[in-house]
Amino acid sequence: MGGPRPCLERNPVDLAAHHQAQRSSGAHRARSRAGGSMKFIFADSLDYVDPAFDFIADRSPAERQPYWDDAYPHEILGYAPYDGVLVSRGIVGDHRVKGKYTASQARRFRLVGARKFLRLDKPEFAHLDIFGDCGAFTYVQDEKPPYTPVEMAEFYDECGFTHGASVDHIIFDFDAGLAGLAGGSTDARQRFDITLENAEGFLREAKVMDAGFTPMGVIQGWSPGSMAEAARRLVAMGYDYLALGGMVPLKSPEIKLCLEAIRDTVPASTRLHILGFAKADDIDSFHGYDISSFDTTSPLIRAFKDAKQNYYLPGDGLALRYFTSIRVPQAIENPKLQRAVKKGMFRAEELVRLEALALGSLRAFDRDEAGLEETLHHVLVYSAPLVEEKPYEDCAASPSLARLAERYRTTLAERPWKQCSCKICRDAAIDVIIFRGSNRNKRRGIHNLAVYQDHIERLDLKRAVEPSDDLPRRLCAAEQ
Amino acid sequence: MTYLAVCAQQSSEHKVLSFAAKAADVLRFAAIDRIGRDAQGELSGFQRPQVAAHIREIRDYLEKPDAVLPNPIVVAFTDRVSVEDLGNGAVQLAIDMSSSVPGLVVDGQQRLSALADLDRDFQVFVSALICRDEAELRRQFVLINNTKPLPKSLIYELLPTVGDLPPRLSRRSVASDLTARLNFENTALKGYIKQHTCPEGIIADTVMQKIIMESLSNGVMRELIRGAKGEERCVRLMSNFFDAVKKVWPEAWHGQKPNTSRLLHGAGIQAMGDVMEVLAERGEARTVEDFRTGMECLKDKTAWTAGEWHMDGEVRRWNGLQNVNRDVALLKHYLVGIVKADLRKKAKRAPAPLLEPTADRS
């Protein structure tokens, strides 16, 4: 059994000193990339907010132009809360795959390139990587990927990506128990072959066109063994940076099995990236696997997609702490409430009144002008139509409202937004914790990114300063 | 509540009268009855839900000190009102507020909602209709709200002459202005654009406005229009581009119509809009000659008036392309792909100087 073999890449003392210096240097906290710390790549999908958004009037200025007047996380925070950005071709979209970009945004992206589009074309962001992949989840249902290796290589090259992933096809039905190339459905094997064939063509094309990006070979497999075999073949083709695809549905122990099998097969100098790493909160347990980089969007997404863990704060030791954000949806915009109004279950005017009461008391609470229980009550009265689709009087004792009350009580009692000094929390105050509309929700997500980046930084430090007990083997691996 | 109103002689069945009232008071004597069904499935009410964006736009306008709202809110009553004739068409309207809200808002609910959050003592005209029953009231609602909107192209053509528009319309207004200038000034498109006041034009004005708006929001004109003589330069750029288009495909342009040439069709014009962007952004094309050289690579690969398109493994008859998003995107991708490949080829060739560097720019 191989086991993890991370290398010790930085002198711990120097690193600590360096880190200290970075922290006090203020404005841009460009992290040193000379060392080998794990890179946190943020998977973007037009995650910007309007800096001029007015929380009280609850609106953007009338003349706001989406994208142009909005700010990316690295703009609103004043520094990049990540080491790079990943843009999926599927998010940009084209004539075959409907992306998240509008058609004219997609056109502009392709004309001016990723760095300029993402507004990372400034000296302080020059160290940031721009990763690209195909967004294999967008065409998961198709028999073949819609892109050829040539057109992907051209796409990365013309858009100025620093790293580009080969054209992969996601394999399902993962079986952790299979060894070598055993098992695998016909479909899985077809996708395995497509992925490797594409990787070969992709590398060839990138060389022919003298591409400006580092090609990454994507690993797809149905088991740790098949992934290791894919990795072996990719290395044989000439790749020295591999990306693990299809990890999203896998659990942490399964991902680790794959990493172990791959690490056992490829040279220590081969760099590994995890594509779409949904287990980002569990990253500390992956420290032994010598991952060079991973991309995720989860700290941002969790702000508004998770039922409970919406707001991050650093916790004790190396942990993170989570808080539930307080839902106060827009009475006349929320689809669920609108449906209820259409059916005649609630009067819009009544919902608007309850909404104003909830928002008003939350703000009063923040100014210490309203008590916790009173505030909580107003919030719950307005939550009832959303959660139970009933007036509060008819469901005050419902278990889901009780659970909600419990989590909200914690959030209100601890006032986490007052414990954070990031620009977002300073400017938005209690509004950062209110679950309502893109401008609050994404701000909370961007705050989470900043907390998460610090989290990664602390883990990297810990690894360098306190090597764990398998030090001899690590040193051995590093010397290879 | 009582109001001094004027009464109009219209029908012997109903009374119609008009008065001024504060928005907050209107909401006291008239409710907005939204359509819904009760537990038995019985339909009640008639109003649609509030539209947040619409209300916001109205509120933005009403917050201005010079805002006026001349069209009245229509309120209907079936009972609990009395009208006392004061002579000369003047009446005294008395509304009985003793039990629930007696009136229903038939028209103007979004305006009322906008006014409700406004911190201004703003009076509106109220047209009150006293009908015999609920059914009549509902009939009025349907009739009032089933009017035919003005033709878009008329509205768009008027926009440039109207100041202080909501941003949604002011962006359209700039595009509309540029379109009109292209159509009536000395340009390659003079007389070619079909507008309300130029019905013999060939290219749809809305299509032309679309490519201009896209360019203004995310393309080459965004920078261009901000500079000195910005509008002038935008008109020149478009004119130069379409001049070049005419030179590259004279037979697909002159004497043709959208149904005889895809080049003048919505799909063709929109796709060519993207070609202009690529040449202007990547190839820095500005003159007729720049654009013409840039489009040479497309000359033999189009099927504007006959034959077939071979795009991305998809074969379409020349007129098999419609002005629908998917077809437009397909054509854009195809044409832009050829132009980009050509630009790449030229860029790779550029570093090795030719014996006569001007030779290939004939």
Side-chain angles (χ1 to χ4, degrees), chain A residues 57-60 62-69 89 94-96 102-105 107-113 116-117 151 154 157-159 208-210 330 332-333 338 341-345 347-349 352, chain B residues 31-38 49-53 55-56 59-60 63 109 113 117 167-168 171 211 214-220 222-223 226 273-274 277-278 281-282 312 326 329-330 332-333 340 344 348:
Chain A
D58 209 38
R59 55 172 299 176
S60 286
E63 63 279 4
R64 169 209 169 219
Q65 290 188 52
Y67 171 81
W68 293 100
D69 293 328
R89 172 99 184 232
D94 59 23
H95 61 297
R96 294 159 295 191
T102 65
S104 78
Q105 284 176 328
R107 181 185 64 199
R108 185 166 178 277
F109 183 91
R110 302 195 58 158
L111 286 179
V112 303
K116 189 165 177 193
F117 189 91
E151 66 174 306
E154 277 174 2
D157 196 43
E158 78 176 21
C159 297
V208 169
M209 69 173 62
D210 192 19
Q330 285 124 323
I332 56 173
E333 283 171 66
Q338 277 298 287
V341 168
K342 274 188 194 160
K343 288 196 257 176
M345 292 160 66
R347 275 181 52 79
E349 283 72 19
V352 169
Chain B
I32 300 166
D33 192 12
R34 294 218 169 66
I35 190 162
R37 285 182 193 273
D38 62 17
Q50 290 166 309
V51 182
I55 293 174
R56 194 165 293 160
R59 196 190 311 152
D60 280 346
E63 270 169 357
Q109 69 142 324
S113 300
D117 334 307
R168 175 174 65 89
R171 278 195 281 280
I211 65 173
E214 274 197 23
S215 188
L216 286 171
S217 57
N218 282 305
V220 59
R222 187 182 167 84
E223 292 300 319
R226 285 169 159 72
D274 265 27
E277 292 295 325
V278 180
E281 286 269 6
R282 282 250 160 148
D312 231 20
R326 196 189 166 277
L330 184 69
K332 279 180 176 178
H333 176 81
K340 276 191 177 170
R344 256 199 306 278
K348 289 237 162 103

Side-chain angles (χ1 to χ4, degrees), chain B residues 3-19:
Chain B
Y3 289 97
L4 189 62
V6 286
C7 192
Q9 292 303 321
Q10 292 184 342
S11 151
S12 53
E13 304 258 332
H14 317 294
K15 283 203 175 73
V16 186
L17 39 100
S18 189
F19 56 93

Side-chain angles (χ1 to χ4, degrees), chain A residues 11-90:
Chain A
N11 177 315
V13 180
D14 281 354
L15 182 110
H18 171 78
H19 187 76
Q20 214 47 47
Q22 284 294 340
R23 267 302 148 87
S24 45
S25 78
H28 349 111
R29 310 182 317 164
R31 287 205 275 155
S32 162
R33 298 266 47 101
S37 68
M38 196 163 34
K39 286 188 190 181
F40 158 42
I41 308 295
F42 172 58
D44 184 65
S45 69
L46 297 180
D47 292 310
Y48 40 62
V49 291
D50 174 12
F53 188 81
D54 181 338
F55 292 110
I56 303 298
D58 209 38
R59 55 172 299 176
S60 286
E63 63 279 4
R64 169 209 169 219
Q65 290 188 52
Y67 171 81
W68 293 100
D69 293 328
D70 296 333
Y72 279 105
H74 51 266
E75 294 176 302
I76 194 143
L77 285 172
Y79 68 91
Y82 28 69
D83 301 306
V85 175
L86 175 131
V87 179
S88 274
R89 172 99 184 232

Side-chain angles (χ1 to χ4, degrees), chain A residues 251-442:
Chain A
K251 297 186 174 67
S252 286
E254 296 173 327
I255 300 177
K256 286 174 189 167
L257 283 176
C258 299
L259 283 167
E260 263 176 41
I262 293 164
R263 265 279 157 241
D264 265 355
T265 313
V266 301
S269 61
T270 302
R271 287 168 292 169
L272 290 182
H273 176 91
I274 303 184
L275 282 168
F277 188 53
K279 309 288 175 285
D281 289 24
D282 203 12
I283 191 68
D284 51 332
S285 75
F286 281 81
H287 242 295
Y289 294 86
D290 193 19
I291 299 164
S292 296
S293 53
F294 66 95
D295 68 85
T296 186
T297 183
S298 89
L300 184 115
I301 296 283
R302 292 274 287 276
F304 44 89
K305 289 252 168 98
D306 200 277
K308 302 175 207 168
Q309 307 187 332
N310 308 121
Y311 182 94
Y312 290 25
L313 275 188
D316 292 336
L318 288 169
L320 287 168
R321 272 197 304 161
Y322 306 102
F323 295 90
T324 304
S325 56
I326 295 168
R327 288 173 189 251
V328 187
Q330 285 124 323
I332 56 173
E333 283 171 66
N334 181 276
K336 202 169 166 186
L337 294 178
Q338 277 298 287
R339 269 201 303 278
V341 168
K342 274 188 194 160
K343 288 196 257 176
M345 292 160 66
F346 299 100
R347 275 181 52 79
E349 283 72 19
E350 175 65 2
L351 291 178
V352 169
R353 192 182 67 82
L354 296 179
E355 173 194 24
L357 216 52
L359 281 176
S361 48
L362 281 168
R363 296 217 176 89
F365 174 77
D366 196 29
R367 293 190 304 265
D368 289 321
E369 288 163 14
L372 192 155
E373 289 307 322
E374 169 199 355
T375 303
L376 185 61
H377 175 76
H378 286 309
V379 168
L380 290 174
V381 169
Y382 184 52
S383 302
L386 187 78
V387 177
E388 296 286 354
E389 298 186 16
K390 279 180 201 158
Y392 181 71
E393 307 79 68
D394 298 349
C395 61
S398 95
S400 30
L401 273 188
R403 279 195 298 273
L404 210 55
E406 205 41 56
R407 293 202 290 269
Y408 285 175
R409 191 173 279 116
T410 309
T411 301
L412 290 173
E414 295 217 23
R415 301 178 196 245
W417 63 94
K418 295 213 167 185
Q419 300 177 39
C420 177
S421 62
C422 84
K423 184 157 187 318
I424 286 174
C425 295
R426 268 186 286 133
D427 292 351
I430 194 170
D431 277 291
V432 77
I433 207 92
I434 298 177
F435 190 123
R436 174 187 173 89
S438 160
N439 265 292
R440 290 180 182 82
N441 294 349
K442 283 201 169 159

Side-chain angles (χ1 to χ4, degrees), chain B residues 283-301:
Chain B
E284 278 157 25
R286 292 292 182 273
T287 66
V288 180
E289 199 43 33
D290 291 344
F291 283 122
R292 203 195 58 75
T293 321
M295 284 187 287
E296 275 300 316
C297 60
L298 292 173
K299 201 169 170 27
D300 303 323
K301 300 204 166 132

